[in-house]
Amino acid sequence: MERKPPRRTRERILDLSLRLFNEFGEPNITTTVIADEMNISPGNLYYHFRNKDDIVNSIFASFEKEIDGLLDVPGNRQANIEDAWLYLQVSFELIWRYRFLYRDLNDLLSRNRTLEIHFKRILKHKVDVARRLCQGLVESGDMMASQAQINALATNMVVVATYWLSFEYVRDPRHFNDEATMSAALANGVYQVMCLLAPYLQGNAKELFESLAQSFITEENT
């Protein structure tokens, strides 16, 4: 079997930093901690990254590339409720992989201009995607809502998705990184966002939502 080439030090630093930021919070991790965990000298770390913000920006660049790919939804067909549910699941899984960005969001934006500018763009893109999703459901007859309601709904969906993990962290900070907690947190987030759509659904879309919701409620109670 052909052996994989060893990962470069830079990649290992980013992977470790992401794990530490996710587990302990970005404000609680210093470059000294990262170097100690890597078993390298601070000088070696600074050879690859000027400071911690440089590490954070590099991680964010990877996140931004992934979220942009996810938000580039093909427009060759109208989405249905099942598509929306699956899309939200994938979105929340990505948010979880980079959860420190969302959990520590306000602190990061207050001192990192790069993140502030780019995250504002991502939020706008998310609202646009949510709006297009709702408009598609209206055009297909699956949903009844005015343009003003669609605009408000799209914003509310993004607000809940953006701050859901912060809410879950406050509910149970000691077990936030547990696998069971993660699974429940992601499923809850998807369900809560989808519930915002529920009052506007009609016909088969409403029945499909109720079926998906019942499946979620059953899993939660087992």
Side-chain angles (χ1 to χ4, degrees):
M1 180 182 296
E2 184 179 354
R3 296 182 62 184
K4 293 183 180 180
R7 288 185 303 160
R8 295 185 305 162
T9 301
R10 177 183 173 85
E11 295 170 347
R12 290 170 52 226
I13 291 172
L14 291 176
D15 288 347
L16 175 66
S17 298
L18 177 59
R19 179 174 65 80
L20 292 174
F21 293 162
N22 281 339
E23 288 186 11
F24 302 105
E26 182 272 344
N28 300 316
I29 300 299
T30 64
T31 52
T32 301
V33 170
I34 296 170
D36 286 345
E37 288 288 325
M38 281 284 298
N39 198 25
I40 61 175
S41 68
N44 194 350
L45 187 145
Y46 291 131
Y47 173 80
H48 297 280
F49 299 98
R50 296 187 304 275
N51 48 44
K52 190 172 74 167
D53 277 351
D54 198 14
I55 296 174
V56 170
N57 290 341
S58 296
I59 293 173
F60 182 83
S62 297
F63 163 76
E64 188 173 29
K65 183 178 179 180
E66 289 191 56
I67 197 73
D68 281 347
L70 181 62
L71 292 173
D72 286 336
V73 181
N76 54 353
R77 72 176 181 87
Q78 290 177 330
N80 57 35
I81 290 301
E82 218 164 5
D83 292 329
W85 198 291
L86 177 61
Y87 177 78
L88 283 169
Q89 284 181 321
V90 175
S91 298
F92 270 97
E93 286 169 3
L94 178 59
I95 289 172
W96 179 263
R97 287 205 301 276
Y98 295 91
R99 57 191 175 277
F100 85 93
L101 290 171
Y102 285 80
R103 188 184 62 194
D104 304 326
L105 183 59
N106 292 354
D107 182 68
L108 286 166
L109 297 188
S110 70
R111 52 185 171 81
N112 190 316
R113 180 64 174 164
T114 300
L115 261 64
E116 178 189 345
I117 294 171
H118 286 252
F119 212 95
K120 285 166 68 174
R121 183 194 65 81
I122 289 173
L123 286 183
K124 183 180 182 303
H125 199 173
K126 284 183 175 183
V127 173
D128 289 343
V129 169
R131 185 183 296 113
R132 292 203 307 270
L133 169 65
C134 292
Q135 288 170 337
L137 291 172
V138 169
E139 291 169 5
S140 67
D142 288 336
M143 191 170 105
M144 182 178 292
S146 67
Q147 189 59 52
Q149 289 172 323
I150 288 174
N151 291 339
L153 183 56
T155 298
N156 290 338
M157 291 171 70
V158 173
V159 169
V160 173
T162 300
Y163 288 100
W164 183 255
L165 288 186
S166 295
F167 174 74
E168 289 284 2
Y169 178 77
V170 172
R171 290 178 65 193
D172 192 5
R174 293 182 182 276
H175 301 97
F176 181 71
N177 290 298
D178 295 353
E179 187 173 343
T181 301
M182 174 205 72
S183 179
L186 300 188
N188 275 324
V190 173
Y191 178 69
Q192 296 299 330
V193 175
M194 288 298 298
C195 280
L196 295 173
L197 286 172
Y200 302 94
L201 300 177
Q202 56 185 5
N204 292 336
K206 188 174 184 64
E207 293 177 5
L208 180 55
F209 167 79
E210 291 173 350
S211 175
L212 290 168
Q214 188 58 47
S215 173
F216 167 80
I217 293 169
T218 300
E219 290 179 4
E220 281 292 284
N221 292 332
T222 56

